[in-house]
Amino acid sequence: MVELLPSILSADFAHLADEVAAAERGGGTVIHVDVMDGHFVPNITLGPPVVKSLRKATSLPLDCHLMIDNPNEYIPAFADAGANWIGVHYETCPHLHRTIELIHNHGMKAGVVLNPATRVELILDILPMLHHVLIMSVNPGFGGQKFIPFSLEKIRKLAQIRKDLGLRFRIEVDGGVAHDTIAQVVQAGADLLVAGNAVFGDGNAERNAQELLAAAKKVAGEAS
Ligand code: DX5
Ligand code: ZN
């Protein structure tokens, strides 16, 4: 089943609860929360206190995408704040197995995120432990960037690996997912579709979410 994950990075931070509610009315089923530290990526966003507030504002799962160095240090705080899914970058985790276990031990679902230049084969051994793999289709740090076309090949490769190994992890895609790219990413095999600018960019999150989800479901052959 394809799902739309509105990314609040492009929302109006002064009205987060309203923005999230609008995206939910439009069919968003998981809220994607971009955590940036100004070290791993050249931007700073938010941390556990905002996640804690979001937790009170919605009952949807919160998918925290950690674009931070030393994620192990902060995983307990995100769990306490009410995060449900944690995605850690392969590039930030020298002891990835330990980090995944840490996420699980805090009662959350674990995902691994791959930058555009990181090959999917690098995480083969860890795939059975994962709830999701997130393919970055832009270099992380900012919303509203252009989709990198070779991400499609990575999604296709990962979908084939999932099939060959008989695994059930979800395939998430993040970056430049919009009206002009959503059909291709679904066709390639992604089922968790993150969209920031395309949902919140023009202040009409409900309608945008509805249209994106309808387009995705059409390609996936699912009823909307
Ligand atoms: C980028 C973030 C994304 C961002 C996507 O570093 O990880 O989640 O919000 O934004 P769009 O959909 O605008 O490319
Ligand atoms: Zn993200």
Side-chain angles (χ1 to χ4, degrees), residues 67-146:
M67 288 161 274
I68 62 176
D69 286 335
N70 305 317
N72 293 14
E73 282 179 32
Y74 300 95
I75 284 165
F78 281 101
D80 289 347
N84 304 95
W85 306 2
I86 294 281
V88 288
H89 270 261
Y90 175 84
E91 302 83 9
T92 63
C93 295
H95 308 289
L96 186 56
H97 178 270
R98 180 182 291 157
T99 301
I100 302 299
E101 283 194 326
L102 184 64
I103 296 169
H104 287 164
N105 290 341
H106 283 84
M108 300 180 290
K109 293 184 158 71
V112 171
V113 189
L114 303 179
N115 268 345
T118 304
R119 297 178 64 95
V120 298
E121 287 85 349
L122 290 168
I123 55 166
L124 270 182
D125 293 340
I126 209 106
L127 287 175
M129 294 177 76
L130 301 182
H131 167 263
H132 62 281
V133 176
L134 171 46
I135 300 288
M136 286 308 300
S137 39
V138 298
N139 288 293
F142 303 95
Q145 302 184 80
K146 204 169 160 316

Side-chain angles (χ1 to χ4, degrees), residues 7 32 34 65 67 134 136 174 194:
S7 162
H32 184 82
D34 287 306
H65 173 191
M67 288 161 274
L134 171 46
M136 286 308 300
D174 183 8
V194 177

